[in-house]
Amino acid sequence: MKLLVIEDSQRLLRSLGRGLKKTGYAVDLVADGADGLDYARFNDYDVIVLDLMLPGMDGLTILRKLRAMGKQTHILILSAKDQVEDRIRGLQLGADDYMIKPFSFEELCARLGTLVRRQYKAKNPEINLGAGVRVNTATKLVERNGSAVNLTPAEYALLECLALNRGKVISKEKLLQAIHDSDSYAGPNVVEVLICNLRKKIGGAGEDCVVRTRRGYGYVVD
Amino acid sequence: MLLFAGAIGGFVLHARLVHEFDRALEAKARALIAVTSREGRRVDIDFRSESMPEFAKEEADDIEVQQDKEENNEEEETGYFEIFLQDGTVIRRSPSLERDDLPLRLDSSKEAAFRNVKLPDGRRGRLVQIAFEPRVEPLKTEVQEPLDEDQVELPASVDEQSLRLLLVVARDRERLDALLNSVYLTLAALTALLLGAIGLLVHRSIHRGFRPIEAINTQITRIGPATLEARVDLASSPTELATIVTALNGLLERIESGFARERKFSSDVAHELRTPVAELRAACEVGAKWPDDPAAIQNFFGDIREIALQMERIVTTLLMLTRCDAGTATVERKTVPLAGLVVQCWERMVEKAGKKGLRFRSRVDPAVTVKTDRDKLEMIVQNLLENAVAHSVPETLIDCECAFVDSRVDLTLANEAANLTPEDLRHVFDRFWQKDRARSAQDRFGLGLSIVKALADLLGIGLRVNLRESSRFEVCLSFSAENGRAASGLTRATIEGVPDGGREVARSV
């Protein structure tokens, strides 16, 4: 899952970037409003975390422009503005959620998880992939036959992306976008390595494997 | 007052009634005097019970007549009279007295003298005593006729030529007392009624009079922190209260303005602290959740220290502002050389200014001194220089010069400020005001010029801002000897000893 965080505080960007990446998201971090709008326009994100008071362009203008150009990306406003009018204005302009600074990192993750699930119309955070494999998108835990499977953030992000798009073939490029930020130079072979590791950890091979390869197209979870 | 008036009324009525009673008593006495005459040595008292029945003896068997009188409320008052010689010898008494006597004072005054007495039948009565000389009748015959029942022979010791008799007439005063009592009772009842009526009227009048005040009170009671924009309705208030209502509305306006300022200040403080607190919390939570990366943790600690220092600066500045506002900041005046102070402050800014390619020129004569609080003036100059460095267009000049205008010394600091408008000049001293609405500068909070203004006010230094040629921002500190209560005056010797224009000191970075 890929996030864009537009926030002018460098210190907050550092903390959020590290925390969200550790949680399993691919995160793009931008400190300027105008740059943030460009990132949002030319990339596909699952959720955009948007501050309101930004240099270059304020958050509400970014929001208005994105909605005007038809971008349906879920947007969570993260602002120090705590007045009800500010919240109402943000939500009326098309934001999907509003959080006031200071905030709990856990709560931010929970809200982001909700917006991601809403993106894929999956209300139940627990997804049963068959063969005894279950993915919980709220707790970011994977179980196989009742036992926890220890996945790296990148492996989990890959599995979650496939699980939320169950039945759809996802290309290597799309998977790469979901697990790495836009400035990453990683190539498609990284996806192959991660899929290989994932199959080893959640088990199954050949016809019994949860993650199947559609040769020439990508990967799919049936 | 009413009670006093009632008492006076009662007294006057009492006197009047007693006077009338006395006049009636005196009239009876005069009637008796009129029927008393002397013929030789005989005194003839032509008294007839029929004409003066009150002096007649009460007949015990006349009960029916008495009852009739009582039923018809025609009770006849009982009267008594007694006529004495000057030595107190009784010569005639009314039949009603039988054998009793009326009290006598041996006083030969012809004036009627009244007093209260106890009557022979034990009742209270009123008495009049008059001395008189009986009318002299000529002797009808030479031959002495036998005395009839109305005639009295004078004793031999009494000289008939100088005869003076003492008449005492008394009557009971029960009806007078009853009348007086009823008058008193009526007066008391009237007074009580009037008092009650007045009390009721006063209560109603006061209640009615206080109604506008109660209405104002109700309006004021409804005003709370959330409804400070409300005002007391002047149109519905009586003219007498217009001044108070106007004063109250003025007070409410000042309170509302104060509240608005405090609310904005609190909101600004809260907002200014939200971002560093959010940074602090995020760094702590993320660092605690993934403590496995020492380099990242080290960065977080660095961030946390920076945040702590930033918050410390905010708190210190706010405390200083509060002390200046409350007038509790101490001022220690001493002679301060301006040029040295400016250079010292600039030296702290050299590194930052160097990064922006800024140059600095000071044209302050080293001989110029002002008498003020050195530390606080240093804070003022330091803040102005920090502000100039932070907002100057890169590769431009920051200019500091000193000029003499009348009896003042003006220290002016000028820099090139992009995007500043004349409208902004009205807000530059507002707390937490920043031209950059994103407030992205993490080391500035919009308090620099606020603290400059607060300190300048405290020290009595004049402060002006100007925008010249659309982008040249000037701040002028004006030191004057006649600068109010907290004047930071120049020493006269210093003013006189400084040549015009000062000496140019150029520094560049």
Side-chain angles (χ1 to χ4, degrees):
Chain A
M1 298 295 104
K2 192 164 186 175
L3 307 179
L4 170 65
V5 181
I6 310 173
E7 163 65 58
D8 64 330
S9 162
Q10 290 294 342
R11 294 189 291 245
L12 199 53
L13 271 185
R14 275 197 291 276
S15 308
L16 286 179
R18 178 173 164 76
L20 291 172
K21 279 175 188 170
K22 282 282 185 185
T23 307
Y25 293 106
V27 189
D28 283 347
L29 304 170
V30 185
D32 179 85
D35 292 347
L37 179 64
D38 288 342
Y39 268 75
R41 282 173 68 187
F42 300 116
N43 294 289
D44 286 328
Y45 296 100
D46 292 293
V47 183
I48 296 171
V49 178
L50 180 66
D51 188 10
L52 290 184
M53 294 168 79
L54 291 164
M57 185 182 293
D58 71 273
L60 289 179
T61 308
I62 295 173
L63 180 61
R64 201 182 292 116
K65 283 180 183 277
L66 285 175
R67 292 305 183 224
M69 63 181 69
K71 273 277 178 187
Q72 296 301 312
T73 315
H74 283 140
I75 294 176
L76 183 149
I77 292 175
L78 185 62
S79 172
K81 290 190 168 185
D82 64 334
Q83 298 296 303
V84 177
E85 305 85 69
D86 297 324
R87 281 180 268 169
I88 290 173
R89 194 147 177 249
L91 294 170
Q92 282 179 341
L93 281 174
D96 298 278
D97 203 351
Y98 196 111
M99 275 188 87
I100 296 164
K101 294 175 187 174
F103 56 93
S104 155
F105 181 74
E106 293 292 339
E107 187 186 345
L108 175 69
C109 289
R111 285 178 187 243
L112 289 174
T114 305
L115 291 178
V116 169
R117 283 201 301 280
R118 202 185 296 167
Q119 175 91 338
Y120 295 96
K121 297 180 175 58
K123 288 204 171 181
N124 188 356
E126 192 169 280
I127 305 167
N128 187 352
L129 302 181
V133 178
R134 288 172 180 278
V135 177
N136 191 318
T137 57
T139 59
K140 309 286 180 194
L141 289 175
V142 178
E143 283 181 5
R144 186 190 168 211
N145 297 326
S147 305
V149 179
N150 191 18
L151 298 182
T152 65
E155 288 162 359
Y156 172 81
L158 201 67
L159 183 61
E160 189 186 78
C161 182
L162 289 167
L164 286 170
N165 292 287
R166 200 169 177 185
K168 292 180 190 168
V169 178
I170 310 294
S171 67
K172 286 181 189 174
E173 290 73 22
K174 180 96 176 166
L175 284 171
L176 195 63
Q177 269 192 16
I179 61 173
H180 280 291
D181 59 53
S182 304
D183 299 332
S184 170
Y185 294 106
N189 56 334
V190 172
V191 177
E192 289 168 15
V193 173
L194 288 172
I195 290 287
C196 183
N197 291 341
L198 196 59
R199 281 176 175 156
K200 282 180 191 164
K201 289 181 181 177
I202 62 174
E207 289 302 312
D208 296 332
C209 185
V210 172
V211 181
R212 295 173 188 274
T213 306
R214 290 281 184 268
R215 209 162 290 279
Y217 295 102
Y219 301 94
V220 65
V221 171
D222 289 327
Chain B
M1 283 295 287
L2 193 67
L3 285 172
F4 182 70
I8 295 283
F11 176 77
V12 169
L13 268 172
H14 177 102
R16 191 72 197 163
L17 285 170
V18 170
H19 178 75
E20 289 302 319
F21 188 86
D22 288 348
R23 292 285 77 80
L25 194 60
E26 188 183 355
K28 284 186 193 295
R30 298 287 175 200
L32 281 168
I33 290 169
V35 297
T36 305
S37 61
R38 179 176 64 80
E39 193 179 336
R41 289 193 62 78
R42 290 182 179 183
V43 175
D44 186 2
I45 303 161
D46 192 11
F47 168 71
R48 293 289 174 272
S49 296
E50 296 78 26
S51 57
M52 294 183 182
E54 67 271 26
F55 297 120
K57 184 183 175 184
E58 276 188 32
E59 296 298 332
D61 55 350
D62 226 1
I63 294 170
E64 282 183 15
V65 177
Q66 193 75 21
Q67 280 177 346
D68 283 350
K69 284 181 178 175
E70 281 176 9
E71 281 171 12
N72 295 330
N73 204 16
E74 292 175 6
E75 191 184 349
E76 193 69 51
E77 290 173 1
T78 310
Y80 307 92
F81 73 83
E82 206 167 4
I83 300 173
F84 302 89
L85 293 175
Q86 276 184 292
D87 60 358
T89 309
V90 178
I91 59 169
R92 182 73 188 265
R93 56 167 64 89
S94 63
S96 55
L97 269 175
E98 296 182 359
R99 291 183 180 282
D100 293 320
D101 285 319
L102 290 171
L104 173 72
R105 284 182 186 165
L106 294 176
D107 178 9
S108 300
S109 168
K110 286 185 178 177
E111 290 297 315
F114 299 92
R115 60 184 187 272
N116 291 322
V117 291
K118 191 175 181 182
L119 297 174
D121 59 4
R123 292 183 295 172
R124 293 180 70 236
R126 186 81 176 158
L127 174 148
V128 61
Q129 180 177 329
I130 306 173
F132 71 98
E133 287 150 6
R135 179 168 39 87
V136 179
E137 293 285 338
L139 285 170
K140 290 173 184 165
T141 56
E142 291 296 323
V143 182
Q144 280 273 337
E145 289 180 7
L147 290 169
D148 63 23
E149 57 177 354
D150 290 335
Q151 290 181 331
V152 178
E153 185 72 30
L154 291 170
S157 59
V158 174
D159 175 16
E160 74 270 18
Q161 295 302 323
S162 59
L163 177 67
R164 185 170 277 195
L165 299 175
L166 299 174
L167 171 64
V168 176
V169 179
R171 57 186 284 202
D172 75 85
R173 51 175 296 169
E174 281 186 342
R175 290 181 71 179
L176 174 67
D177 287 343
L179 185 61
L180 284 173
N181 284 339
S182 60
V183 165
Y184 288 144
L185 275 173
T186 308
L187 272 175
L190 273 174
T191 307
L193 199 69
L194 272 172
L195 272 175
I198 288 170
L200 193 70
L201 274 173
V202 167
H203 178 264
R204 291 188 66 175
S205 301
I206 289 173
H207 185 69
R208 189 171 297 171
F210 272 91
R211 208 172 286 163
I213 295 174
E214 280 171 12
I216 292 170
N217 182 48
T218 310
Q219 290 182 60
I220 292 172
T221 312
R222 284 186 192 139
I223 298 172
T227 53
L228 280 173
E229 72 287 351
R231 294 287 178 273
V232 180
D233 187 11
L234 186 62
S236 66
S237 305
T239 321
E240 295 82 3
L241 295 175
T243 316
I244 295 172
V245 170
T246 309
L248 267 174
N249 283 340
L251 177 67
L252 283 169
E253 201 164 318
R254 290 195 295 279
I255 292 173
E256 185 192 6
S257 156
F259 258 74
R261 202 166 47 245
E262 288 302 315
R263 259 201 285 264
K264 185 179 181 311
F265 180 69
S266 306
S267 164
D268 287 342
V269 171
H271 182 263
E272 207 57 40
L273 290 176
R274 275 180 193 285
T275 302
V277 171
E279 292 167 354
L280 203 59
R281 189 168 173 181
C284 291
E285 287 182 8
V286 172
K289 193 165 182 180
W290 292 283
D292 51 333
D293 186 346
I297 297 296
Q298 195 64 34
N299 283 339
F300 283 154
F301 276 126
D303 285 350
I304 289 168
R305 184 177 177 279
E306 265 183 38
I307 296 164
L309 290 173
Q310 178 186 342
M311 290 173 84
E312 186 184 318
R313 282 200 299 277
I314 294 177
V315 171
T316 309
T317 311
L318 288 177
L319 273 176
M320 176 55 78
L321 279 171
T322 308
R323 285 190 191 123
C324 290
D325 288 348
T328 53
T330 52
V331 177
E332 285 179 30
R333 293 179 195 283
K334 55 178 85 165
T335 305
V336 183
L338 273 183
L341 182 89
V342 169
V343 170
Q344 189 183 341
C345 291
W346 175 253
E347 278 169 356
R348 297 188 194 113
M349 304 304 303
V350 168
E351 193 182 338
K352 272 190 185 175
K355 288 176 184 169
K356 288 181 80 173
L358 296 172
R359 289 170 291 118
F360 180 66
R361 181 174 62 183
S362 173
R363 286 182 290 175
V364 184
D365 193 287
V368 178
T369 61
V370 289
K371 198 164 188 181
T372 189
D373 188 307
R374 192 190 193 289
D375 294 343
K376 291 184 176 57
L377 181 60
E378 191 177 324
M379 283 175 76
I380 291 174
V381 175
Q382 193 68 58
N383 269 293
L384 289 176
L385 285 172
E386 280 180 11
N387 195 60
V389 169
H391 301 295
S392 280
V393 177
E395 307 292 341
T396 55
L397 175 74
I398 297 171
D399 208 357
C400 181
E401 64 178 0
C402 192
F404 293 85
V405 182
D406 301 328
S407 60
R408 300 193 321 266
V409 169
D410 286 353
L411 181 73
T412 307
L413 199 72
N415 65 286
E416 290 296 325
N419 303 324
L420 208 59
T421 64
E423 171 66 19
D424 294 334
L425 295 185
R426 290 164 53 182
H427 303 289
V428 290
F429 296 121
D430 290 353
R431 287 164 194 190
F432 294 107
W433 183 84
Q434 284 192 44
K435 176 68 182 173
D436 173 18
R437 297 190 66 185
R439 313 181 71 83
S440 46
Q442 292 192 334
D443 56 341
R444 304 195 63 78
F445 329 110
L447 287 172
L449 288 179
S450 305
I451 196 80
V452 165
K453 180 161 191 336
L455 288 170
D457 287 347
L458 181 76
L459 299 177
I461 300 171
L463 185 63
R464 297 192 305 275
V465 285
N466 280 312
L467 194 62
R468 295 191 194 283
E469 297 155 13
S470 76
S471 65
R472 188 86 179 146
F473 179 64
E474 284 183 4
V475 184
C476 178
L477 297 173
S478 192
F479 301 88
S480 168
E482 302 86 33
N483 206 1
R485 54 188 172 75
S488 299
L490 276 166
T491 58
R492 185 170 295 277
T494 306
I495 297 172
E496 288 169 358
V498 174
D500 285 346
R503 184 168 62 87
E504 186 165 322
V505 180
R507 288 180 64 97
S508 61
V509 180

